[in-house]
Amino acid sequence: MILLTSPAEMHAWIRSLNGRPTIGFVPTMGALHAGHEALLQQSQSENEATVLSIFVNPTQFNVDADFDAYPRTVDRDLRIAEHHGVDAVYMPSTEAMYPNGWRVFVEPGTASDPMEGGGRPGHFRGVATIVTKLFHAVQPHRAYFGKKDYQQLAVVKQMVAELDMDIEIIGVDTIRHDDGLAMSSRNVRLSEQDRTAAPIIQKSLREARHAVASGLTDARDIEKLISETIGTEPRAKIEYVTVTRARDLARTEYIDETSVVCVAVWFGDVRLIDNIELHLPY
Ligand code: PAF
């Protein structure tokens, strides 16, 4: 496994490869968990080489304190990468990625507007910019993103399509704890009581899926049902519950065959997001 720490080193490694092996790319900010491992496994099974990036990207944080507090577990991350047979780890410094500060940005499309876009201004502009920079460095054939960050996946897919990037974007199913809580680097920050309460999110989403299977199609009714279930847990504070069209995350009145409901819920000072795809029963 080779460690590369600048765009120039990454380019040189790509040029040194014999032939043009298919490259699968897993971009991360480190603090790897089972969700990231699933991305690495899928990349390994579908490509001749796998590149993992670890870079805590300052331009996607709205609050400096969140950037500073982001967990950094590099030694452990590298052991996980090695274990999964990763060929190259791309781990540039902030100076290597942004030697002139940040003067040029990639403007994300409409998929960035609702939900996270409202509460975290500039977040997806930072994501679109860093993902583009990483894609230019790694030049992957396929890139793997978790469906837990459903909106991020939609923003990246829209960007790749609209900017004619020749990269297949693959969404990988969310990995969950036994009690249904989605794996996330933020879970370690939950208090014991909040950790016990947090699976209410997944419970509410599964209830909604059952309701849809029984014929409920009105998007506002589905949002209400989910909100009421989460509302039974006094430790949970809902930020949004939104039913959208999966393709572009436009808000819809009724669900169709490609709908997804996304939620953001606070437990103390920890903000958790989750989602579930909804399918009509016919
Ligand atoms: O999902 C993440 O970890 C980040 O948003 C990403 C895609 C690595 C960009 O910094």
Side-chain angles (χ1 to χ4, degrees):
M1 187 172 85
I2 186 167
L3 190 61
L4 304 155
T5 58
S6 70
E9 280 182 24
M10 190 72 225
H11 288 151
W13 182 72
I14 294 284
R15 274 198 301 272
S16 76
L17 297 174
N18 284 331
R20 178 75 171 102
T22 53
I23 295 179
F25 177 42
V26 178
T28 77
M29 298 206 294
L32 301 186
H33 52 67
H36 297 112
E37 292 185 71
L39 305 183
L40 291 172
Q41 274 161 6
Q42 190 161 336
S43 173
Q44 282 288 65
S45 69
E46 294 177 351
N47 301 281
E48 288 160 313
T50 289
V51 176
L52 164 76
S53 69
I54 299 173
F55 179 66
V56 185
N57 172 37
T59 65
Q60 70 188 74
F61 287 85
N62 306 92
V63 181
D64 285 349
D66 288 350
F67 171 73
D68 295 337
Y70 201 83
R72 286 155 171 92
T73 57
V74 172
D75 291 343
R76 186 174 169 277
D77 292 348
L78 292 178
R79 281 199 299 275
I80 291 173
E82 188 102 58
H83 172 75
H84 285 284
V86 165
D87 296 271
V89 177
Y90 184 36
M91 211 171 64
S93 63
T94 305
E95 294 67 36
M97 281 310 260
Y98 295 107
N100 302 306
W102 24 92
R103 305 185 292 192
V104 176
F105 285 95
V106 175
E107 197 61 48
T110 53
S112 72
D113 293 340
M115 301 185 296
E116 298 294 294
R120 304 171 72 187
H123 166 68
F124 284 121
R125 192 173 78 142
V127 170
T129 303
I130 194 65
V131 168
T132 300
K133 285 167 72 69
L134 292 168
F135 283 175
H136 283 148
V138 177
Q139 300 166 50
H141 295 78
R142 301 188 182 92
Y144 297 81
F145 293 82
K147 283 192 187 176
K148 188 180 87 64
D149 292 307
Y150 209 93
Q151 191 170 7
Q152 170 170 277
L153 174 63
V155 166
V156 170
K157 276 187 177 166
Q158 197 176 50
M159 176 183 84
V160 162
E162 304 271 323
L163 297 184
D164 309 319
M165 297 182 183
D166 187 17
I167 301 169
E168 190 183 347
I169 303 300
I170 296 170
V172 178
D173 285 341
T174 302
I175 303 292
R176 298 181 180 279
H177 293 277
D178 289 345
D179 60 10
L181 181 66
M183 297 263 178
S184 164
S185 315
R186 293 169 186 224
N187 293 350
V188 293
R189 293 178 43 222
L190 290 168
S191 71
E192 207 178 312
Q193 288 148 313
D194 287 337
R195 174 63 189 80
T196 306
I200 191 72
I201 300 177
Q202 166 71 353
K203 181 170 181 272
S204 72
L205 296 175
R206 294 192 73 81
E207 271 177 19
R209 181 177 270 179
H210 285 131
V212 169
S214 311
L216 185 67
T217 59
D218 185 291
R220 301 297 84 77
D221 286 347
I222 295 167
E223 290 169 359
K224 191 161 167 277
L225 181 70
I226 293 169
S227 301
E228 280 171 2
T229 302
I230 296 176
T232 62
E233 174 46 70
R235 305 188 74 83
K237 300 274 168 296
I238 297 174
E239 184 175 314
Y240 63 75
V241 175
T242 311
V243 174
T244 65
R245 196 163 58 191
R247 169 162 49 93
D248 56 2
L249 301 190
R251 206 150 186 239
T252 51
E253 274 186 58
Y254 295 94
I255 68 150
D256 59 24
E257 70 280 2
T258 60
S259 297
V260 60
V261 52
C262 300
V263 305
V265 184
W266 289 86
F267 289 87
D269 64 349
V270 182
R271 185 173 176 279
L272 300 180
I273 58 170
D274 204 345
N275 61 76
I276 197 166
E277 289 169 330
L278 299 173
H279 305 286
L280 289 175
Y282 40 85

